[in-house]
Amino acid sequence: MKIGFIGMGIMGSRMAANLQKKGHELVLFNRTREKARPLLDLGASWADTPAALGRLVQIVITMLSKPDAVAEVALHGNHSLLDALAPDSLWIDCTTVNPSFSRRLAGEAAARQIRFLDAPVAGSKGPAEAGQLIFFVGGRSQDVDTARPLFEAMGKAVCPMGGHGTGSAMKMVNNIILGQAMTAFAEALAFGETLGISKQAIFEILATSPVTAPFLNTKRQKFENDDYSVEFPLQWMHKDLHLAAETAFETGAALPGMNAAKELYALAIRNGLAAEDFMAVYKVLAKKQ
Amino acid sequence: MKIGFIGMGIMGSRMAANLQKKGHELVLFNRTREKARPLLDLGASWADTPAALGRLVQIVITMLSKPDAVAEVALHGNHSLLDALAPDSLWIDCTTVNPSFSRRLAGEAAARQIRFLDAPVAGSKGPAEAGQLIFFVGGRSQDVDTARPLFEAMGKAVCPMGGHGTGSAMKMVNNIILGQAMTAFAEALAFGETLGISKQAIFEILATSPVTAPFLNTKRQKFENDDYSVEFPLQWMHKDLHLAAETAFETGAALPGMNAAKELYALAIRNGLAAEDFMAVYKVLAKKQ
Amino acid sequence: MKIGFIGMGIMGSRMAANLQKKGHELVLFNRTREKARPLLDLGASWADTPAALGRLVQIVITMLSKPDAVAEVALHGNHSLLDALAPDSLWIDCTTVNPSFSRRLAGEAAARQIRFLDAPVAGSKGPAEAGQLIFFVGGRSQDVDTARPLFEAMGKAVCPMGGHGTGSAMKMVNNIILGQAMTAFAEALAFGETLGISKQAIFEILATSPVTAPFLNTKRQKFENDDYSVEFPLQWMHKDLHLAAETAFETGAALPGMNAAKELYALAIRNGLAAEDFMAVYKVLAKKQ
Amino acid sequence: MKIGFIGMGIMGSRMAANLQKKGHELVLFNRTREKARPLLDLGASWADTPAALGRLVQIVITMLSKPDAVAEVALHGNHSLLDALAPDSLWIDCTTVNPSFSRRLAGEAAARQIRFLDAPVAGSKGPAEAGQLIFFVGGRSQDVDTARPLFEAMGKAVCPMGGHGTGSAMKMVNNIILGQAMTAFAEALAFGETLGISKQAIFEILATSPVTAPFLNTKRQKFENDDYSVEFPLQWMHKDLHLAAETAFETGAALPGMNAAKELYALAIRNGLAAEDFMAVYKVLAKKQ
């Protein structure tokens, strides 16, 4: 069965590659065709529009940058995905979006008798490449069952959370912790250095400490080498926290710490660090004088 | 050899008990004698003043609430510890204090030919009781060697950080992460609940997630049962973050996220939660209406 | 000439009343007709839909709660305002919205040859009633000239800021200051009280101080009497700051202080204070144990 | 009658100069004699130590950088001011310090039968030079009466607040508002610029707005000219907010907004702006990529 895949960014290209490796026949669409080239060379098909893609598949996965990009591809204009998909086909949106937006997409899909799952992921470039992502999934369990082989080709865990929007909700919950874990650690490193404790010594102590989020150890080499090359772009972290702020406004939640972290990433972007790894927020805090 | 121990609070009483279990003969002092009762009943001696204690021992450990309390016991008045200790004796301060204060204590000790270690701990009530603390130690390595059997009686790891004050510095670094890990998690829980995801579901997902600081799992039962009984008092977390803010002022570090967390604990104290476990910061954020 | 007015809330009803007093013939629309009753009794006409209203007037003013409400009235569905207005008519949107949204509205209007001004106001219930509002206006100067008599009937100053969206931009700038002036003052009052200085004494000193935003003196009686009855609802302040956060995300601005203030209002809403005056943010800080 | 004056910094030198102009005979002490030169040339006397000064006067004013500096001059060592002042003499401390520190000073003074006022000022370099300061005074009313001619030589208003420490308390209250007024305004300027509204336009609108603290207009020329030359050093603002944070910790107040502002100044110091005017916090936010 052919699988449609829309979005060939850092994440999407790696996720699609894993589907291809597991033998799935892919039809691809991306804003720029060039990024799809490696998978096309390995046998994937290309569609010129989301609608053209939609007419060729029963299952489609979208992995885009933000809600607007999903709306653009799926809902708007004359070549939209949703108007082309056949009834009873399944749309899996892996983009990080607001839960209310996921519910809106589910509604738009339902109006066309299309099945829908919101299925954003935990994990960045490395886990995407290694097929080690975690999927937080919102939607009906029979649809999760349909999608499970695909999730398993791209990740190591599938977490059904409940109805439509709960996958996106869990992603927001996850990001609130992730975004602050990094700013807190960056503060701790920069602060420790003002007290004469090196980054190496801090990692030595904290690597196995129960106060340290384990993912931070994956950044150890990079921090020690002042290497901020991108795995998860800082501007995406900022965007994800902004989405969480939007959702908190909708639900009436207060997130003082998250907003403080969000503004640290905003300052980092001000300082030209948008495209570096999100660990580069450390540079805003580190002593420069 | 007799060991002096000053400070019979939640932490000190448990640390001293572990020394006693390992066969060390203790001389105790505390503001209120009553709290020393269990150890006195098991054979420890009592001293009526810090100075009286200082005249009986070659090694003394202090585990007090804050810098002022250490100054009161060790430096001030006619019955101070430091004026009573013999030259070449060793003073180990386990209190969480500013690194600059540790260096001041080291200087006061040195002026009297007394050896000094700053050795604050990671771990609260449970690890203190189980002898599973981690000691961050600042001072000379031969003094760390002298103290090592005592540290090993009370803890599971000794981390020599460098010269005087670096033990206290590492404790500050640790607290910056710990204090924010809790507020971030509390935000995530309260936020998730506004989206219809239960605390149970969030723990289920995050328990093994690389974004979650492992210590948070030790709070799972308590969070799920709305049990905020004290292991590490919220007001101590607030005090520790305030000390970090003081130290950051001294060294010129910027800690925006830490300060946001500090003020959440301050709001919690405003709401009457000072004596509950520091996880009670969640109550400030959780929906009440 | 008939003037259309859509939105009979706290602000809109008072603004329309001032237009009526100055002799303008009004056609009104509101979600609930009841709120238009006083002006209808004094001779204004009623329209059953935004479109019906649009067919009766050459100039229409909208004063609604938020961007979504404007889109609902002006753009969506079969009875939208914009599809009914005649070419060359003038639409003045006084709602507080994102500058990017104002530019979008201007574009939608231009596509139908309709003239557009974004003209949000500074001033709440009192100034609205007294005709003392300040209008920040974005759009072409000839359109500002057309609208000037209306602005002058409702306000005391008209501030043309530049092209479409700059009126809304200036409103955001204003709100960033307003929202933080209140939280800072609330902190100062609550803090002063912990030091034994009464609210009266603080107002006495600060009333004429150059550090105090003059508008705060209009709240003096209310603060001293613990009267938080609504002039500008706290939830609107929160909403306005959320819009500023959205706009900052779009333009890449960092607003750490504004976000901290925003979250204080969010906590106030959590505490059930959404419908009180925005000065009620003080209660979050003053809460006694 | 001779007046002692200790502290010849930006503020103290100007305050003492106004006393001299009004005909008061001065005895000066400062860490570096050089800064006292202009007043010495005009007839003031010099004392080699605080104690030497204390033996020559019945009234002494201290205007120093921070609590530690006051303690150093007044309390410590063999040449301290307090041990030299005669009983019934009056000590007026104009330094910005914690209220608890003022009360401690009052207690030290009382133990020596010396009268004490805490009398910190509102106003920076310009008002100090023009004799336009405002004195917030804590202490007994008869002592305020004694000091009034001196206050009036240096300032335009005397605000007796209550007992010892209340002068310092009111200064903290004032600083909480001042520090945040500047960061909020800086955010508004930097944000407005991302939306295409110039600093000039923003000042044009806000200069007479009730949301704007009037003191900001005194910075207009400087902001428009990118002139950050010092009137009130940014590092002093940071220090004053840190003192407020210390006092809030002592009294149990929560100051989330103030702490966010404090950390913006900390980031500014990180960026090398410590010695510029506190308006330079704007540069942290305006920084271009």
Short mmCIF file of all heavy atoms in Angstrom, two decimals, chain C residues 234-282:
data_model
loop_
_atom_site.label_atom_id
_atom_site.label_comp_id
_atom_site.label_asym_id
_atom_site.label_seq_id
_atom_site.Cartn_x
_atom_site.Cartn_y
_atom_site.Cartn_z
N LEU C 234 -9.73 42.30 34.19
CA LEU C 234 -8.42 41.65 34.27
C LEU C 234 -8.21 40.68 33.11
O LEU C 234 -7.12 40.61 32.55
CB LEU C 234 -8.31 40.93 35.62
CG LEU C 234 -6.94 40.40 36.00
CD1 LEU C 234 -6.72 40.52 37.50
CD2 LEU C 234 -6.72 38.97 35.54
N GLN C 235 -9.25 39.98 32.72
CA GLN C 235 -9.07 39.01 31.63
C GLN C 235 -8.79 39.72 30.29
O GLN C 235 -8.17 39.13 29.41
CB GLN C 235 -10.28 38.09 31.52
CG GLN C 235 -11.57 38.79 31.18
CD GLN C 235 -12.79 37.90 31.40
OE1 GLN C 235 -12.69 36.67 31.34
NE2 GLN C 235 -13.93 38.52 31.66
N TRP C 236 -9.22 40.97 30.15
CA TRP C 236 -8.88 41.72 28.93
C TRP C 236 -7.42 42.14 28.94
O TRP C 236 -6.76 42.14 27.90
CB TRP C 236 -9.78 42.95 28.77
CG TRP C 236 -11.20 42.66 28.46
CD1 TRP C 236 -11.84 41.44 28.46
CD2 TRP C 236 -12.19 43.63 28.08
NE1 TRP C 236 -13.15 41.60 28.11
CE2 TRP C 236 -13.41 42.92 27.88
CE3 TRP C 236 -12.17 45.00 27.90
CZ2 TRP C 236 -14.59 43.56 27.50
CZ3 TRP C 236 -13.35 45.65 27.53
CH2 TRP C 236 -14.55 44.92 27.33
N MET C 237 -6.96 42.53 30.10
CA MET C 237 -5.53 42.88 30.21
C MET C 237 -4.70 41.65 29.83
O MET C 237 -3.73 41.74 29.09
CB MET C 237 -5.22 43.32 31.64
CG MET C 237 -3.82 43.89 31.81
SD MET C 237 -3.68 45.59 31.15
CE MET C 237 -2.66 45.32 29.68
N HIS C 238 -5.09 40.50 30.39
CA HIS C 238 -4.38 39.27 30.08
C HIS C 238 -4.43 38.97 28.58
O HIS C 238 -3.42 38.64 27.96
CB HIS C 238 -5.03 38.10 30.86
CG HIS C 238 -4.35 36.79 30.65
ND1 HIS C 238 -5.02 35.67 30.23
CD2 HIS C 238 -3.06 36.42 30.79
CE1 HIS C 238 -4.17 34.67 30.13
NE2 HIS C 238 -2.97 35.09 30.47
N LYS C 239 -5.60 39.16 28.00
CA LYS C 239 -5.77 38.91 26.57
C LYS C 239 -4.91 39.88 25.76
O LYS C 239 -4.24 39.48 24.79
CB LYS C 239 -7.25 39.07 26.21
CG LYS C 239 -7.63 38.77 24.77
CD LYS C 239 -7.79 40.05 23.94
CE LYS C 239 -8.89 40.95 24.51
NZ LYS C 239 -8.86 42.30 23.87
N ASP C 240 -4.89 41.14 26.15
CA ASP C 240 -4.08 42.12 25.42
C ASP C 240 -2.59 41.77 25.48
O ASP C 240 -1.87 41.91 24.49
CB ASP C 240 -4.31 43.53 25.98
CG ASP C 240 -5.63 44.13 25.51
OD1 ASP C 240 -6.35 43.47 24.72
OD2 ASP C 240 -5.95 45.26 25.93
N LEU C 241 -2.15 41.32 26.65
CA LEU C 241 -0.73 40.94 26.76
C LEU C 241 -0.46 39.66 25.96
O LEU C 241 0.62 39.51 25.39
CB LEU C 241 -0.33 40.77 28.23
CG LEU C 241 -0.41 42.04 29.08
CD1 LEU C 241 0.14 41.77 30.49
CD2 LEU C 241 0.33 43.22 28.45
N HIS C 242 -1.43 38.78 25.91
CA HIS C 242 -1.26 37.58 25.07
C HIS C 242 -1.13 37.98 23.59
O HIS C 242 -0.29 37.43 22.87
CB HIS C 242 -2.42 36.62 25.27
CG HIS C 242 -2.30 35.41 24.40
ND1 HIS C 242 -1.31 34.47 24.56
CD2 HIS C 242 -3.02 35.01 23.32
CE1 HIS C 242 -1.43 33.53 23.65
NE2 HIS C 242 -2.46 33.83 22.88
N LEU C 243 -1.93 38.93 23.17
CA LEU C 243 -1.80 39.41 21.78
C LEU C 243 -0.41 40.01 21.55
O LEU C 243 0.20 39.81 20.50
CB LEU C 243 -2.88 40.45 21.46
CG LEU C 243 -4.32 39.93 21.39
CD1 LEU C 243 -5.27 41.09 21.11
CD2 LEU C 243 -4.49 38.86 20.32
N ALA C 244 0.07 40.75 22.53
CA ALA C 244 1.43 41.32 22.39
C ALA C 244 2.46 40.20 22.27
O ALA C 244 3.42 40.29 21.49
CB ALA C 244 1.75 42.23 23.56
N ALA C 245 2.26 39.13 23.05
CA ALA C 245 3.19 37.99 22.97
C ALA C 245 3.12 37.35 21.59
O ALA C 245 4.15 36.97 21.02
CB ALA C 245 2.87 36.97 24.06
N GLU C 246 1.93 37.24 21.05
CA GLU C 246 1.79 36.68 19.71
C GLU C 246 2.52 37.55 18.68
O GLU C 246 3.21 37.05 17.79
CB GLU C 246 0.31 36.57 19.32
CG GLU C 246 -0.41 35.42 19.99
CD GLU C 246 -1.78 35.17 19.35
OE1 GLU C 246 -2.34 36.11 18.72
OE2 GLU C 246 -2.29 34.06 19.50
N THR C 247 2.32 38.85 18.81
CA THR C 247 2.96 39.76 17.87
C THR C 247 4.48 39.73 18.02
O THR C 247 5.21 39.75 17.02
CB THR C 247 2.41 41.18 18.06
OG1 THR C 247 1.01 41.16 17.76
CG2 THR C 247 3.10 42.17 17.14
N ALA C 248 4.95 39.67 19.26
CA ALA C 248 6.39 39.59 19.48
C ALA C 248 6.95 38.32 18.85
O ALA C 248 8.07 38.33 18.31
CB ALA C 248 6.70 39.61 20.98
N PHE C 249 6.20 37.25 18.91
CA PHE C 249 6.65 36.01 18.25
C PHE C 249 6.78 36.23 16.75
O PHE C 249 7.76 35.80 16.13
CB PHE C 249 5.67 34.88 18.54
CG PHE C 249 6.05 33.58 17.87
CD1 PHE C 249 7.10 32.83 18.36
CD2 PHE C 249 5.36 33.15 16.75
CE1 PHE C 249 7.47 31.64 17.73
CE2 PHE C 249 5.73 31.96 16.12
CZ PHE C 249 6.79 31.21 16.61
N GLU C 250 5.80 36.93 16.19
CA GLU C 250 5.84 37.19 14.74
C GLU C 250 7.02 38.07 14.34
O GLU C 250 7.63 37.86 13.30
CB GLU C 250 4.54 37.87 14.30
CG GLU C 250 3.30 36.99 14.42
CD GLU C 250 2.01 37.76 14.17
OE1 GLU C 250 2.09 38.95 13.77
OE2 GLU C 250 0.93 37.19 14.37
N THR C 251 7.31 39.09 15.17
CA THR C 251 8.35 40.05 14.76
C THR C 251 9.72 39.69 15.33
O THR C 251 10.71 40.33 14.98
CB THR C 251 8.00 41.48 15.23
OG1 THR C 251 8.01 41.52 16.67
CG2 THR C 251 6.64 41.91 14.72
N GLY C 252 9.76 38.71 16.23
CA GLY C 252 11.05 38.34 16.80
C GLY C 252 11.52 39.25 17.92
O GLY C 252 12.71 39.45 18.11
N ALA C 253 10.58 39.81 18.67
CA ALA C 253 10.95 40.64 19.82
C ALA C 253 10.99 39.79 21.08
O ALA C 253 10.25 38.81 21.19
CB ALA C 253 9.95 41.78 20.00
N ALA C 254 11.84 40.16 22.01
CA ALA C 254 11.91 39.49 23.32
C ALA C 254 11.29 40.41 24.37
O ALA C 254 11.65 41.58 24.45
CB ALA C 254 13.35 39.18 23.68
N LEU C 255 10.36 39.87 25.15
CA LEU C 255 9.63 40.66 26.15
C LEU C 255 9.57 39.92 27.49
O LEU C 255 8.50 39.52 27.95
CB LEU C 255 8.20 40.95 25.65
CG LEU C 255 8.05 41.73 24.35
CD1 LEU C 255 6.59 41.76 23.91
CD2 LEU C 255 8.57 43.15 24.51
N PRO C 256 10.73 39.76 28.14
CA PRO C 256 10.73 38.96 29.38
C PRO C 256 9.85 39.55 30.48
O PRO C 256 9.11 38.81 31.15
CB PRO C 256 12.21 38.99 29.80
CG PRO C 256 12.97 39.32 28.56
CD PRO C 256 12.07 40.20 27.75
N GLY C 257 9.90 40.85 30.68
CA GLY C 257 9.10 41.46 31.74
C GLY C 257 7.61 41.38 31.43
O GLY C 257 6.81 41.07 32.31
N MET C 258 7.26 41.64 30.19
CA MET C 258 5.86 41.57 29.80
C MET C 258 5.31 40.17 30.02
O MET C 258 4.19 40.00 30.52
CB MET C 258 5.72 41.97 28.33
CG MET C 258 4.30 42.22 27.87
SD MET C 258 3.34 40.71 27.60
CE MET C 258 4.06 40.12 26.05
N ASN C 259 6.08 39.14 29.68
CA ASN C 259 5.61 37.78 29.87
C ASN C 259 5.46 37.43 31.35
O ASN C 259 4.55 36.70 31.73
CB ASN C 259 6.56 36.79 29.17
CG ASN C 259 6.23 36.63 27.70
OD1 ASN C 259 5.40 35.82 27.33
ND2 ASN C 259 6.85 37.45 26.84
N ALA C 260 6.35 37.95 32.18
CA ALA C 260 6.21 37.72 33.62
C ALA C 260 4.91 38.35 34.12
O ALA C 260 4.17 37.76 34.91
CB ALA C 260 7.42 38.28 34.38
N ALA C 261 4.61 39.56 33.65
CA ALA C 261 3.36 40.22 34.02
C ALA C 261 2.16 39.43 33.51
O ALA C 261 1.18 39.20 34.23
CB ALA C 261 3.34 41.65 33.47
N LYS C 262 2.26 38.99 32.26
CA LYS C 262 1.18 38.20 31.67
C LYS C 262 0.84 37.00 32.55
O LYS C 262 -0.34 36.69 32.77
CB LYS C 262 1.60 37.73 30.27
CG LYS C 262 0.66 36.76 29.60
CD LYS C 262 0.94 36.62 28.11
CE LYS C 262 2.17 35.82 27.76
NZ LYS C 262 2.01 34.35 27.95
N GLU C 263 1.84 36.33 33.04
CA GLU C 263 1.59 35.14 33.85
C GLU C 263 1.04 35.48 35.23
O GLU C 263 0.34 34.66 35.84
CB GLU C 263 2.85 34.28 33.93
CG GLU C 263 3.22 33.68 32.58
CD GLU C 263 2.06 32.97 31.90
OE1 GLU C 263 1.56 31.99 32.45
OE2 GLU C 263 1.63 33.44 30.81
N LEU C 264 1.34 36.67 35.73
CA LEU C 264 0.69 37.09 36.98
C LEU C 264 -0.81 37.25 36.77
O LEU C 264 -1.62 36.88 37.62
CB LEU C 264 1.30 38.40 37.49
CG LEU C 264 2.49 38.24 38.41
CD1 LEU C 264 3.08 39.59 38.78
CD2 LEU C 264 2.06 37.50 39.68
N TYR C 265 -1.18 37.84 35.63
CA TYR C 265 -2.62 37.94 35.32
C TYR C 265 -3.21 36.53 35.14
O TYR C 265 -4.35 36.27 35.54
CB TYR C 265 -2.85 38.81 34.09
CG TYR C 265 -2.52 40.28 34.31
CD1 TYR C 265 -1.43 40.88 33.70
CD2 TYR C 265 -3.31 41.07 35.15
CE1 TYR C 265 -1.12 42.22 33.91
CE2 TYR C 265 -3.01 42.40 35.37
CZ TYR C 265 -1.91 42.98 34.74
OH TYR C 265 -1.60 44.30 34.95
N ALA C 266 -2.44 35.63 34.52
CA ALA C 266 -2.93 34.26 34.36
C ALA C 266 -3.18 33.61 35.71
O ALA C 266 -4.20 32.93 35.92
CB ALA C 266 -1.93 33.43 33.54
N LEU C 267 -2.27 33.83 36.65
CA LEU C 267 -2.48 33.29 38.00
C LEU C 267 -3.71 33.92 38.64
O LEU C 267 -4.45 33.26 39.37
CB LEU C 267 -1.24 33.53 38.87
CG LEU C 267 -0.06 32.58 38.63
CD1 LEU C 267 1.19 33.08 39.33
CD2 LEU C 267 -0.40 31.16 39.12
N ALA C 268 -3.91 35.21 38.38
CA ALA C 268 -5.09 35.88 38.93
C ALA C 268 -6.37 35.24 38.37
O ALA C 268 -7.33 35.03 39.11
CB ALA C 268 -5.05 37.37 38.60
N ILE C 269 -6.35 34.94 37.10
CA ILE C 269 -7.52 34.29 36.49
C ILE C 269 -7.73 32.92 37.13
O ILE C 269 -8.86 32.55 37.46
CB ILE C 269 -7.32 34.19 34.96
CG1 ILE C 269 -7.40 35.60 34.35
CG2 ILE C 269 -8.36 33.25 34.33
CD1 ILE C 269 -7.04 35.68 32.88
N ARG C 270 -6.66 32.19 37.33
CA ARG C 270 -6.70 30.92 38.06
C ARG C 270 -7.37 31.05 39.41
O ARG C 270 -7.98 30.12 39.92
CB ARG C 270 -5.27 30.45 38.35
CG ARG C 270 -4.60 29.70 37.26
CD ARG C 270 -5.39 28.61 36.85
NE ARG C 270 -4.67 27.37 36.65
CZ ARG C 270 -5.24 26.37 36.00
NH1 ARG C 270 -6.47 26.47 35.56
NH2 ARG C 270 -4.59 25.26 35.82
N ASN C 271 -7.16 32.23 40.03
CA ASN C 271 -7.72 32.48 41.36
C ASN C 271 -9.11 33.09 41.30
O ASN C 271 -9.60 33.61 42.31
CB ASN C 271 -6.77 33.38 42.17
CG ASN C 271 -5.58 32.61 42.72
OD1 ASN C 271 -5.66 32.01 43.77
ND2 ASN C 271 -4.48 32.61 41.97
N GLY C 272 -9.72 33.05 40.11
CA GLY C 272 -11.12 33.48 40.01
C GLY C 272 -11.32 34.97 39.85
O GLY C 272 -12.41 35.49 40.10
N LEU C 273 -10.28 35.69 39.43
CA LEU C 273 -10.36 37.15 39.39
C LEU C 273 -10.55 37.70 37.97
O LEU C 273 -10.41 38.90 37.74
CB LEU C 273 -9.08 37.75 39.99
CG LEU C 273 -8.74 37.27 41.41
CD1 LEU C 273 -7.36 37.76 41.82
CD2 LEU C 273 -9.80 37.76 42.40
N ALA C 274 -10.90 36.86 37.02
CA ALA C 274 -10.96 37.25 35.60
C ALA C 274 -11.86 38.47 35.36
O ALA C 274 -11.53 39.35 34.57
CB ALA C 274 -11.45 36.08 34.74
N ALA C 275 -12.98 38.50 36.04
CA ALA C 275 -13.98 39.54 35.74
C ALA C 275 -13.84 40.77 36.62
O ALA C 275 -14.60 41.73 36.47
CB ALA C 275 -15.37 38.95 35.87
N GLU C 276 -12.87 40.76 37.53
CA GLU C 276 -12.65 41.96 38.35
C GLU C 276 -11.76 42.93 37.58
O GLU C 276 -11.25 42.63 36.51
CB GLU C 276 -12.02 41.57 39.69
CG GLU C 276 -12.91 40.63 40.49
CD GLU C 276 -12.48 40.48 41.95
OE1 GLU C 276 -11.59 41.23 42.40
OE2 GLU C 276 -13.07 39.62 42.63
N ASP C 277 -11.59 44.12 38.13
CA ASP C 277 -10.70 45.08 37.50
C ASP C 277 -9.28 44.53 37.48
O ASP C 277 -8.88 43.76 38.36
CB ASP C 277 -10.72 46.41 38.25
CG ASP C 277 -10.07 47.50 37.44
OD1 ASP C 277 -10.66 47.94 36.43
OD2 ASP C 277 -8.93 47.91 37.77
N PHE C 278 -8.49 44.97 36.51
CA PHE C 278 -7.14 44.39 36.38
C PHE C 278 -6.24 44.72 37.57
O PHE C 278 -5.22 44.09 37.76
CB PHE C 278 -6.50 44.74 35.04
CG PHE C 278 -5.94 46.12 34.86
CD1 PHE C 278 -4.62 46.31 34.49
CD2 PHE C 278 -6.74 47.24 35.00
CE1 PHE C 278 -4.09 47.59 34.28
CE2 PHE C 278 -6.23 48.52 34.80
CZ PHE C 278 -4.90 48.70 34.44
N MET C 279 -6.65 45.70 38.39
CA MET C 279 -5.91 45.96 39.62
C MET C 279 -5.97 44.78 40.59
O MET C 279 -5.16 44.68 41.51
CB MET C 279 -6.44 47.22 40.30
CG MET C 279 -7.92 47.15 40.60
SD MET C 279 -8.62 48.70 41.25
CE MET C 279 -8.05 48.63 42.95
N ALA C 280 -6.92 43.86 40.37
CA ALA C 280 -7.06 42.70 41.26
C ALA C 280 -5.87 41.77 41.19
O ALA C 280 -5.75 40.84 41.99
CB ALA C 280 -8.35 41.95 40.95
N VAL C 281 -4.95 41.99 40.25
CA VAL C 281 -3.71 41.21 40.23
C VAL C 281 -2.97 41.38 41.57
O VAL C 281 -2.20 40.50 41.99
CB VAL C 281 -2.82 41.61 39.03
CG1 VAL C 281 -2.17 42.96 39.24
CG2 VAL C 281 -1.80 40.53 38.72
N TYR C 282 -3.24 42.50 42.22
CA TYR C 282 -2.67 42.74 43.56
C TYR C 282 -3.01 41.61 44.53
O TYR C 282 -2.20 41.24 45.39
CB TYR C 282 -3.19 44.09 44.08
CG TYR C 282 -3.10 44.29 45.56
CD1 TYR C 282 -1.91 44.65 46.18
CD2 TYR C 282 -4.23 44.12 46.37
CE1 TYR C 282 -1.84 44.84 47.55
CE2 TYR C 282 -4.18 44.31 47.73
CZ TYR C 282 -2.98 44.67 48.33
OH TYR C 282 -2.92 44.85 49.68
#
